[in-house]
């Protein structure tokens, strides 16, 4: 494949080296999460502001963003040679897109449309070129901030999946579906395995040792990410409790901050699909990834969201709600694209092959 997106040969790297790094990432994440929760409680209690769940979540999200930014920068430096797409090409495309975004934001701001929800540039009025340069600097810095945070979040998510998915698949392959213990019910519920299926064993693969950039998966996974990016933050944007306690600008900022963590919701079932994991039985194999996807996507209900929307209309107007969603979704689409690029360019191939390899070692345990 020729052109800008030319897959690069991925050098061999020991699975155990990645597992050793994963252990450190997971320990650091648990420690930082604990400290961040405690810090958020202390801040809310001592800030002098009216204590609220929205304030607590806002502090927690932004504290975690700092950790994931530095972690992402570290992981990006370590995985520069793991991507299919040349880094120089990537950043040239980003620079061009940021220029277009800066031009659009300056024109909109000069027309009087307030975009300053989250790290947005301001119009100085000195000259169009000065405003454009200022907007470019702010938007480019914001992109790097979001890119590194996303890299860190994906790195920790892949570490957890590499540790847990092989063991979980191996357990499903050994369990007795007629045994109605809590552990078995939990495993069957996770993968939406019907009780009538008699699981003889679980098989994974085959998968190629090295894959090209999976363009065919981009559209589907982008839509999955947007599904969660719309659904989950809506519990913040439409929550009457938050609307009555917090300014609209703060709510959108919280939702945008949270959107940097939401796309990982697709990774568990996506990686099980990519490993071609299936429960083998005499009639027909049951694909565990599809069952996992059904469970995850059914976890949150749209019915609750409709109820929140109706309640939110009692506090704010339909135009205010539409405005919140417009600015939020504008950013959420960009974040979804960043997640898709980072995951499939730097992580997915290693993760798939490591899970298949580790699963084989766990099968006999």
């Amino acid at each position: 494949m020729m052109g800008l997106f030319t897959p690069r040969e991925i050098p061999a790297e020991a699975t155990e080296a990645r597992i050793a790094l994963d252990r450190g990432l997971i320990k650091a994440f648990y420690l930082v999460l604990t400290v961040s929760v405690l810090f958020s409680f202390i801040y809310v209690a001592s800030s002098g502001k009216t204590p609220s769940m929205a304030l607590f979540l806002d502090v927690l999200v932004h504290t975690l963003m700092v950790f994931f930014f530095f972690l992402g920068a570290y992981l990006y430096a370590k995985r520069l040679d793991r991507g299919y797409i040349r880094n120089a090409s990537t950043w040239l495309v980003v620079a061009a897109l940021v220029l277009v975004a800066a031009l659009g934001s300056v024109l909109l701001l000069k027309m009087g449309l307030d975009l300053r929800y989250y790290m947005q540039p301001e119009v100085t009025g000195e000259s169009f070129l000065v405003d454009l340069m200022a907007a470019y600097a702010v938007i480019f810095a914001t992109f790097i901030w979001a890119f590194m945070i996303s890299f860190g979040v994906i790195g920790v998510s892949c570490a957890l999946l590499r540790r847990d998915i092989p063991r979980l698949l191996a357990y499903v392959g050994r369990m007795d579906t007629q045994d109605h213990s809590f552990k078995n019910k939990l495993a069957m519920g996770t993968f939406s395995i019907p009780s009538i299926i008699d699981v003889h064993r679980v098989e994974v693969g085959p998968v190629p040792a090295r894959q090209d950039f999976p363009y065919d998966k981009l559209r589907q996974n982008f839509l999955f990410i947007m599904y969660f990016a719309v659904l989950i933050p809506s519990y913040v944007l439409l929550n009457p409790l938050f609307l009555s306690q917090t300014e609209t600008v703060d709510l959108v900022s919280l939702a945008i901050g949270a959107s940097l963590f939401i796309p990982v919701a697709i990774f568990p079932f996506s990686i099980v699909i990519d490993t071609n994991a299936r429960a083998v039985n005499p009639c027909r194999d049951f694909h565990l990834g599809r069952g996992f996807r059904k469970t995850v996507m059914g976890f949150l209900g749209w019915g609750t969201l409709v109820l929140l929307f109706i309640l939110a209309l009692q506090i704010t107007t339909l135009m205010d709600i539409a405005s919140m969603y417009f600015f939020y979704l504008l950013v959420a689409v960009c974040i979804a694209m960043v997640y898709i690029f980072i995951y499939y360019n730097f992580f997915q191939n290693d993760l798939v092959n490591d899970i298949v390899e580790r699963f084989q070692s766990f099968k006999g345990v």
Side-chain angles (χ1 to χ4, degrees):
M1 188 179 299
M2 302 298 292
L4 179 61
F5 301 117
T6 302
R8 296 164 55 189
E9 193 69 32
I10 299 178
E13 181 175 338
T15 301
E16 289 303 319
R18 287 191 286 270
I19 294 173
L21 176 62
D22 289 347
R23 294 193 189 102
L25 293 179
I26 293 171
K27 289 179 181 177
F29 169 66
Y30 286 156
L31 175 62
V32 170
L33 179 61
T34 302
V35 172
S36 298
V37 170
L38 292 175
F39 171 77
S40 300
F41 273 119
I42 294 172
Y43 178 86
V44 170
S46 61
S47 65
K49 300 178 181 179
T50 303
S52 67
M53 180 59 69
L55 178 60
F56 169 77
L57 291 176
D58 187 59
V59 175
L60 177 60
V61 165
H62 286 81
T63 303
L64 289 174
M65 285 167 65
V66 175
F67 164 71
F68 280 111
F69 172 80
F70 289 105
L71 177 62
Y74 169 73
L75 292 177
Y76 180 61
K78 287 185 69 68
R79 300 191 69 85
L80 279 175
D81 63 341
R82 306 303 294 169
Y84 300 102
I85 300 172
R86 297 185 184 94
N87 285 282
S89 301
T90 298
W91 289 105
L92 283 174
V93 172
V94 168
L97 292 176
V98 170
L99 179 60
V100 173
L103 181 62
S105 66
V106 170
L107 291 175
L108 289 174
L109 286 168
K110 283 185 176 294
M111 291 169 57
L113 182 60
D114 187 6
L115 298 176
R116 293 189 292 273
Y117 271 113
Y118 196 77
M119 295 182 71
Q120 295 293 339
E122 295 187 26
V123 173
T124 63
E126 296 180 11
S127 72
F128 182 81
L129 183 60
V130 171
D131 289 336
L132 180 62
M133 291 174 63
Y136 188 92
V138 171
I139 295 175
F140 194 78
T142 303
F143 177 84
I144 293 176
W145 173 254
F147 185 89
M148 294 307 172
I149 291 173
S150 302
F151 215 101
V153 173
I154 293 173
V156 172
S157 301
C158 290
L160 291 168
L161 293 173
R162 188 165 14 241
R163 182 192 68 178
D164 297 332
I165 292 296
R167 292 184 182 275
L168 180 58
L169 294 177
Y171 176 81
V172 172
R174 297 193 308 269
M175 73 179 184
D176 179 4
T177 55
Q178 302 306 312
D179 178 6
H180 300 297
S181 64
F182 174 77
K183 199 172 182 180
N184 281 11
K185 286 182 178 179
L186 184 61
M188 294 182 69
T190 298
F191 294 104
S192 297
I193 302 174
S195 58
I196 60 173
I197 289 183
D198 183 17
V199 179
H200 284 206
R201 66 185 185 280
V202 167
E203 293 182 354
V204 300
V207 296
R210 175 189 168 283
Q211 303 172 8
D212 290 338
F213 194 89
Y215 294 96
D216 58 321
K217 298 177 182 178
L218 299 189
R219 176 178 170 275
Q220 184 182 47
N221 282 283
F222 174 80
L223 293 176
F224 283 141
I225 288 179
M226 290 310 300
Y227 172 89
F228 290 105
V230 171
L231 186 61
I232 297 177
S234 295
Y235 287 86
V236 173
L237 295 176
L238 297 181
N239 193 302
L241 178 63
F242 291 170
L243 286 169
S244 63
Q245 295 179 344
T246 312
E247 295 291 332
T248 299
V249 171
D250 295 331
L251 276 183
V252 175
S253 295
L254 172 58
I256 290 174
S259 69
L260 286 164
F261 304 95
I262 288 168
V264 299
I266 77 159
F267 292 160
F269 66 76
S270 179
I271 196 62
V272 176
I273 292 174
D274 291 344
T275 57
N276 194 26
R278 58 206 180 277
V280 178
N281 68 83
C283 297
R284 187 177 63 179
D285 292 352
F286 181 82
H287 289 271
L288 297 173
R290 296 173 188 171
F292 204 171
R293 181 176 64 196
K294 179 181 177 181
T295 299
V296 173
M297 298 189 71
F299 185 70
L300 296 170
W302 285 97
T304 305
L305 190 59
V306 173
L307 177 60
L308 284 173
F309 179 79
I310 295 174
L311 293 174
L313 287 176
Q314 309 303 312
I315 299 174
T316 187
T317 66
L318 182 61
M319 186 59 68
D320 289 336
I321 293 176
S323 175
M324 287 193 301
Y325 270 92
F326 172 78
F327 290 109
Y328 165 73
L329 289 177
L330 193 64
V331 177
V333 168
C334 296
I335 291 174
M337 294 172 65
V338 169
Y339 260 82
I340 289 291
F341 172 77
I342 293 175
Y343 175 64
Y344 281 107
N345 193 51
F346 293 100
F347 289 92
Q348 187 257 2
N349 188 66
D350 285 340
L351 184 59
V352 168
N353 285 283
D354 289 347
I355 287 177
V356 170
E357 182 180 330
R358 297 199 75 200
F359 169 76
Q360 302 300 338
S361 68
F362 288 138
K363 280 178 68 174
V365 178

